Amino acid sequence: MKLATWNVNSLNVRLPHVLDWCTANQPDVLCLQETKQEDSKFPYEALTAIGYNAIHSGQKTYNGVAILSRHVLEHPSYGIPDFADEQKRLIAATVKGIRIVCAYIPNGQSVDSDKYQYKLNWLASLTTHLQAELAAHPKLALLGDYNIAPEDRDVHDPAAWLGQVLVSEPERTAFQGLVGLGLHDTFRLFEQPEASFSWWDYRMAGFRRNLGLRIDHILVSTPLLAACKASWIDKAPRKLERPSDHTPVVLELSE
DNA sequence: ATGGCGACCGGAGGTCGA
């Protein structure tokens, strides 16, 4: 069973890439972030045509999350309970007994902005919510754009990024709070190339020079650990014409 | 590295992302 996450930076623009990638890679589940479209615009028909069910929670211009699945999506839920939020950033469903949680964690903009406080509040609410979710669903995977590089090795230039948003200690502490729930960063369960990143700035030839960050993650609960077989970042879509600035992260589970 | 790109809305250029 193959799980994946991809911030597509507008599904309006990136739908051809998503269809091609799903056809070529056949993920069982693909979590999308930044669809940037209202539910009425979501391309259910095009996805059905290649064998995918989908649920979506979106809005115009910003945010928007979706779960695509080759299997039945049971018990969909939207948003964080008890956290009033106009921004569409969380969607979840159960696939083959695994609770799939797809998150677009706020960016935060800069550490001195209101958006940074919103990010930390959002993460605190998510953590509380996931504690209950884990009690109800021992097999759980949290996939998405975390907008946090958990360690210095996830940053192309840690000195330049020191203390900045995406890297700051409060954000990394929040990430460790998720780990503290009994979630595991599956990418690091396996040997990986040095300087492995999932996002590269469009500017300054960031991708060509590998000036990136690893901010897209797949965390799984302890009951799923033994099933983890491999994890990798697929850089191929980042090389296409008009790419997203993020690229897919994949986790392979044994059945 | 701090600007550079790209998406969006709106119909120019500001805002946001990361």
Side-chain angles (χ1 to χ4, degrees):
Chain A
M1 185 167 182
K2 196 185 281 184
L3 310 182
T5 182
W6 192 3
N7 178 326
V8 292
N9 185 20
S10 170
L11 190 57
N12 299 303
V13 175
R14 231 66 68 193
L15 179 62
H17 289 188
V18 171
L19 296 174
D20 289 349
W21 193 80
C22 285
T23 302
N25 293 277
Q26 296 290 313
D28 293 272
V29 173
L30 174 60
C31 294
L32 300 180
Q33 301 86 39
E34 287 208 83
T35 59
K36 297 188 177 180
Q37 60 193 184
E38 293 176 337
D39 294 341
S40 60
K41 304 273 190 185
F42 189 78
Y44 291 103
E45 294 82 1
L47 293 167
T48 301
I50 62 163
Y52 283 87
N53 303 307
I55 56 173
H56 179 242
S57 175
Q59 63 193 101
K60 210 161 127 179
T61 311
Y62 299 116
N63 311 310
V65 282
I67 302 175
L68 282 47
S69 173
R70 296 170 55 75
H71 313 286
V72 179
L73 289 156
E74 299 176 288
H75 311 299
S77 74
Y78 308 88
I80 305 173
D82 306 321
F83 185 81
D85 192 0
E86 310 240 319
Q87 304 188 22
K88 307 297 189 186
R89 296 183 173 276
L90 196 82
I91 192 167
T94 301
V95 179
K96 297 188 86 173
I98 300 174
R99 192 64 178 164
I100 302 292
V101 183
C102 169
Y104 176 43
I105 293 174
N107 171 286
Q109 197 168 60
S110 66
V111 295
D112 56 0
S113 80
D114 293 344
K115 290 173 182 170
Y116 182 79
Q117 280 309 313
Y118 165 72
K119 178 179 194 171
L120 295 180
N121 291 340
W122 201 96
L123 280 159
S125 297
L126 174 69
T127 305
T128 301
H129 169 53
L130 286 179
Q131 196 159 25
E133 281 286 275
L134 281 160
H137 311 279
K139 291 184 177 179
L140 183 147
L142 175 63
L143 306 92
D145 177 359
Y146 287 58
N147 272 312
I148 301 171
E151 300 179 70
D152 279 354
R153 61 178 164 164
D154 302 314
V155 180
H156 69 92
D157 186 345
W161 279 86
L162 183 69
Q164 305 273 343
V165 73
L166 314 187
V167 166
S168 74
E169 281 312 312
E171 292 164 88
R172 286 180 167 174
T173 298
F175 184 91
Q176 289 307 317
L178 295 169
V179 171
L181 295 174
L183 297 174
H184 308 268
D185 182 357
T186 55
F187 187 75
R188 294 299 183 198
L189 296 176
F190 306 97
E191 191 171 340
Q192 302 292 355
E194 280 193 37
S196 287
F197 307 125
S198 64
W199 169 88
W200 300 262
D201 202 313
Y202 286 122
R203 297 166 292 187
M204 301 169 52
F207 181 65
R208 181 177 61 72
R209 299 162 64 199
N210 199 29
L211 306 179
L213 303 174
R214 191 176 71 94
I215 53 178
D216 301 271
H217 309 295
I218 303 177
L219 271 53
V220 303
S221 59
T222 303
L224 285 173
L225 262 186
C228 294
K229 291 300 174 200
S231 179
W232 63 92
I233 293 170
D234 184 359
K235 291 164 79 167
R238 192 63 175 77
K239 301 171 183 172
L240 299 171
E241 286 290 315
R242 256 189 126 181
S244 171
D245 44 357
H246 297 250
T247 207
V249 180
V250 185
L251 171 67
E252 180 93 48
L253 294 170
S254 57
E255 282 300 322

